[in-house]
Amino acid sequence: MNALLTPTDVGIQSLGMQTPKSAAMTAAGVVLAVDILSRPDIQRAGTSGRWIIQAERESRPSPGRSLLAPWGTGTTEALRAVQLAAIGPQLQAVYQLRYRVQTFHPGTQPDHIPVQRLRSLPAALWPELALPLAPPELHDHRILRPALSCLIGLVGNRQSSDVIAERLGQATTGFMSSRMLGHLRERQQWPDIQAALIHIADYLDASPAPIDYERRRRLDYTLLLPDGQWVDIARQCDIVRSTGTLARLFRSYVFLRISGLPARMAPSTCTPENNSARSQHAMR
């Protein structure tokens, strides 16, 4: 096949459905098309055509959206999905999530789907889901969990990481989530982590959470569990040492459970006085 492709043929940049400039290019295209069309699904069709873009790895080892441009604008949605499946392993991690390259039908989603998903996402991802995705050296969940929520919001989403982070209550920034994505991309387990992020996003799209976290992020928690109510609860629960510090700890816990925001975004009334106080009461 390489012997049939002359330097002149390779240098041509045809767009869309424009006719190839030589019989050799036409024959190569027909053979490739037959091979791709004979595959049972889009992912395997993309794998069969992946050899065409292998030469790009040396010049652009982590190509972005620019590598998709030469395929033209006259292609069908199915062919675009095959293209994304073929180029998926070479794309930067942000585009792998945005175009959902591991799915049965790669590509972005209609705008309303990712927007609705953000309502089901807490600003800091649930710890039960975040922990399995965290490499041992990335153990700081204060940074990890908000970044993971942002990355799940990025799946299939045309919006930037900065916009998504703002929609999630500014618990992180686009820059911080991109840095976390870079760390995850370097891990050997990245294909599995990527699949998990896409799977969580797809699940939330199909089964939205009963809680509207977008609304809860906007609530004012300053008067959460006021002193009078706390005293009544402490009395009913036989809490002997009903101190102000203990009240702040309970408010902090309730804030985290209700808002889905990280602890550092809690109002002062819901913040323990210091880490020592938190540790002392946790041991009791």
Side-chain angles (χ1 to χ4, degrees), residues 9 12 14 17-27 29:
D9 292 331
I12 295 173
S14 299
M17 306 302 293
Q18 184 175 333
T19 304
K21 301 299 184 181
S22 72
M25 288 295 292
T26 301

Side-chain angles (χ1 to χ4, degrees), residues 137-174:
E137 66 273 18
L138 301 178
H139 61 277
D140 192 342
H141 281 219
R142 293 172 300 178
I143 298 174
L144 177 71
R145 290 174 55 201
L148 287 176
S149 280
C150 190
L151 296 182
I152 292 172
L154 180 64
V155 172
N157 198 338
R158 295 182 179 90
Q159 293 181 318
S160 68
S161 297
D162 288 325
V163 172
I164 296 169
E166 184 175 357
R167 289 289 305 274
L168 287 172
Q170 297 180 320
T172 187
T173 63

